Structures are given as structure tokens and as C-alpha cells.
Amino acid sequence: MKRKILAYNFEFSETLDRLRDSFDIEIFEGINPKTDPAFLQALKQAVGIVGLALPVDKELLDHAPYLKIVSNNSTGFNNLSIDEMTKHGVIGTNTPGVLEDTTADAIFGLLLAAARRIPELDQFVKVGNWKQHLTRNEYAIDVHHKTLGIIGMGKIGALIAKRGHLGFDMNILYHNRTRNLEAEEKYHAVYTELDRLLMESDFVCLMTPLTPETDNLMGAREFNLMQKSAIFVNGSRGKTVDEKALIEALRANEIHGAALDVFQSEPVKADHPLLKFPNVVTTPHIGSSTFETEFKMAKLAVENLLAGLTGKRPRNLINPEVLN
């Protein structure tokens, strides 16, 4: 009898073909994993799970007595309760090192779109409002030679700094848990306290992981410190921002605008207040969403899964202590 693997919201099912001779694979899309009867039944026999954003907590683990590995098809893994997985002897893996350039492209693109009002003026043309020369009502703001403040100078943050400094002659400020000396040398990035970054940056780009320390990192106080001419860009996680505070900052014209790829609750509802502002550019969590990058991530997720199920050490092991 073949051992069972569950694929959850896993876009490239063809990458699983190499496993089909040895494993029984069940694919689940768009279901509620806490209530779907077929999923809960399959979980009882599953030895491996591969997929995107499946909440893996004590409740799920208690229903999966044979589970050996959860292969997360993303760089982030805040959906995994790593301590609980380790207690249950379950390996956790992710897919880093694949999406960094792609995500940096997307987030810097959002910055440009917000600064130059591209989505807003695209609609201006399409609905027939372009009937004469542009006036100051349609003017945007420059990006080149401005100051870009990056909160979270990890790999993606550094690549955003690269695009800003080398491509647009931007001055780079950054705030991070530790100094990034390579970014300082290559992109003349200046390490600073968060308050100074907020007060001096023309663009504030949030790129931190979601941790207890960064939960609601950007709140009313932080938005109040920003320049009224500044644009806020969030490419991290939705819960790093107090959305009510952001809404109030926009309503009170405390900041010039925002560009958001992530939200506290996703998919975002159509009546969300942030979607009503013409000076807020939104995208549906597109950071890594190109065909090439997503396919590479799926292949890596399957490689991690296979390694964990065949007694090998996965390349991207999150909790190495579980092997002990």
C-alpha cells in the first residue's frame, strides 16, 4: 500500500509526477482544512504535506499520527507552528533563495506605480478623462534622487535597495535587527533608528518577517512620524501594519499615499476601506507570482518533501532539532 501525500493549494501539480509511482497523492484546492471531511480523513493517513499557507498547528498535528514532513511552498513559514511540529517529530521546510529578485521587482514596481500614479492615471485615460493637456491635478512625484527607507534589510530588502540606489540614484536608509554591511558598502545604505528613518524618508518600505516583535509594527505613532509627502509601501505581511491606523493616516492626509501587496486578511474584501483611496495602489500578494519563480519554488518544495520522506536531510530544513 502506497504512503499518502496531501497537496494543499499547490499550483504546479505536475511537479508531483515523480512521486506518483511511490506515493498516493491527494490534491486539495480551496477547502477549509479544519472542516473539510475528505481532507480530515486523508490527514489520518498522510505522511507528508506540500502546499501553500496551510495552518499547521497542534489541532492538525493531533489528527495526523503518521505525518513526517510539511513542505511549505513559500519562503515565509508563519503558518507553521514550528514548536508543535518539533514536539510531534514533524519536519518543516520552506523554499528560500528562489523568489528574492522577483519579489524585489514587484515591490519596487509598486513604489513606482504609487509615486507616478500609474493605476489611477491608467483609469483616467480609459474612462475618457484625458481631453486636454495635464494639469497639476494629475501630476505625480519623482522617485529618482529621493530617500528610500527600508525597514528589514534582509535579502529582499537589500535587492530593493540595489534597485533604488543603482537604478534611481536614491539615498538609502535602513532599520534592521543587525547591520547589513554588504548593503552599506554596495548601496551606501545608512543604518539608523526607526524614528529617524520614518521622519527622513520619502518612501518607507516595510520588508520585515512577521514575528511577535513586528506585529503591528506600523501604527498611528509611526505614520504620524512620516512626512506628509511620503509614500508607505508594504511588501512584508499584512499583520505588520495596523490597518485602522493606516486608514486614519490616509484620511487625515498625514501621508501622501500607500502601496500594498499584503493585507491583514487575505483575500481582501471588496468593501475594505483601503480599496476606496485613489492614492493607494493594491495588488493581490503578487510578490513571487511569476510563472518562472513559482515553478522553481514548487520543484524545490517537492525536493524537500521527497528528501524528508526518504530519510535524507532536506536542503531547507526549518527545525533541525527534530532530527535529534
Side-chain angles (χ1 to χ4, degrees):
M1 183 177 178
K2 294 181 181 179
R3 293 186 292 169
K4 187 179 292 293
I5 291 173
L6 310 186
Y8 176 82
N9 291 344
F10 191 68
E11 188 67 27
F12 292 97
S13 59
E14 60 267 36
T15 60
L16 297 167
D17 289 346
R18 61 189 292 194
L19 308 179
R20 296 186 188 279
D21 288 342
S22 302
F23 297 93
D24 175 26
I25 300 172
E26 287 197 43
I27 297 175
F28 295 90
E29 297 283 348
I31 56 103
N32 184 337
K34 291 189 177 296
T35 60
D36 185 82
F39 180 84
L40 294 173
Q41 182 61 36
L43 198 59
K44 295 177 181 179
Q45 288 85 39
V47 295
I49 298 174
V50 61
L52 179 65
L54 174 67
V56 178
D57 53 16
K58 185 178 185 301
E59 181 183 359
L60 182 143
L61 293 166
D62 286 343
H63 283 86
Y66 302 110
L67 190 62
K68 301 298 181 186
I69 180 171
V70 177
S71 180
N72 226 34
N73 187 30
S74 69
T75 296
F77 50 88
N78 52 290
N79 59 302
L80 305 182
S81 298
I82 295 299
D83 289 344
E84 286 296 333
M85 289 174 61
T86 302
K87 289 177 185 177
H88 284 74
V90 176
I91 293 170
T93 64
N94 63 339
T95 56
V98 179
L99 55 69
E100 284 79 4
D101 269 304
T102 299
T103 303
D105 286 348
I107 302 308
F108 202 85
L110 270 174
L111 184 154
L112 284 171
R116 296 306 307 266
R117 299 172 63 182
I118 291 173
E120 183 184 355
L121 295 177
D122 169 71
Q123 288 303 305
F124 178 83
V125 174
K126 288 178 177 176
V127 300
N129 287 336
W130 188 23
K131 298 176 180 178
Q132 57 185 8
H133 68 275
L134 299 182
T135 69
R136 63 191 303 168
N137 291 328
E138 290 82 52
Y139 290 168
I141 61 175
D142 283 331
V143 173
H144 60 83
H145 297 101
K146 294 291 183 69
T147 296
L148 170 59
I150 301 174
I151 306 171
M153 188 66 88
K155 291 181 179 179
I156 299 173
L159 288 168
I160 293 170
K162 175 182 178 181
R163 284 152 176 75
H165 182 68
L166 300 182
F168 292 81
D169 292 311
M170 300 182 83
N171 303 310
I172 307 298
L173 300 178
Y174 80 98
H175 178 73
N176 205 45
R177 288 179 298 179
T178 57
R179 297 273 293 271
N180 188 325
L181 299 181
E182 184 178 4
E184 292 180 17
E185 179 181 356
K186 288 184 175 181
Y187 316 126
H188 299 171
V190 176
Y191 178 79
T192 182
E193 293 301 315
L194 179 61
D195 286 6
R196 178 193 167 194
L197 181 150
L198 294 170
M199 290 187 287
E200 297 185 8
S201 297
D202 299 296
F203 300 90
V204 172
C205 186
L206 182 59
M207 296 305 302
T208 62
L210 178 61
T211 67
E213 292 74 29
T214 62
D215 189 10
N216 280 336
L217 175 64
M218 290 295 296
R221 174 186 172 277
E222 288 71 29
F223 289 119
N224 188 56
L225 286 173
M226 289 175 60
Q227 301 180 48
K228 290 185 180 296
S229 58
I231 289 176
F232 173 69
V233 183
N234 190 9
S236 59
R237 288 290 185 268
K239 292 183 179 180
T240 56
V241 175
D242 180 342
E243 288 185 348
K244 291 182 179 179
L246 175 57
I247 291 166
E248 289 306 312
L250 290 162
R251 283 177 177 161
N253 295 316
E254 291 179 358
I255 61 175
H256 183 76
L260 310 171
D261 188 40
V262 290
F263 298 84
Q264 289 221 351
S265 179
E266 297 179 0
V268 66
K269 293 182 179 180
D271 62 351
H272 196 295
L274 284 170
L275 306 188
K276 309 304 179 185
F277 292 95
N279 56 335
V280 175
V281 177
T282 59
T283 47
H285 207 147
I286 66 167
S288 63
S289 298
T290 66
F291 184 93
E292 299 95 327
T293 295
E294 293 288 351
F295 188 75
K296 289 177 184 176
M297 290 172 63
K299 287 181 64 178
L300 179 55
V302 171
E303 289 172 7
N304 285 330
L305 179 73
L306 184 59
L309 292 176
T310 54
K312 300 175 183 176
R313 183 187 179 96
R315 189 200 315 181
N316 306 113
L317 181 60
I318 299 169
N319 54 342
E321 60 273 18
V322 77
L323 299 181
N324 299 325

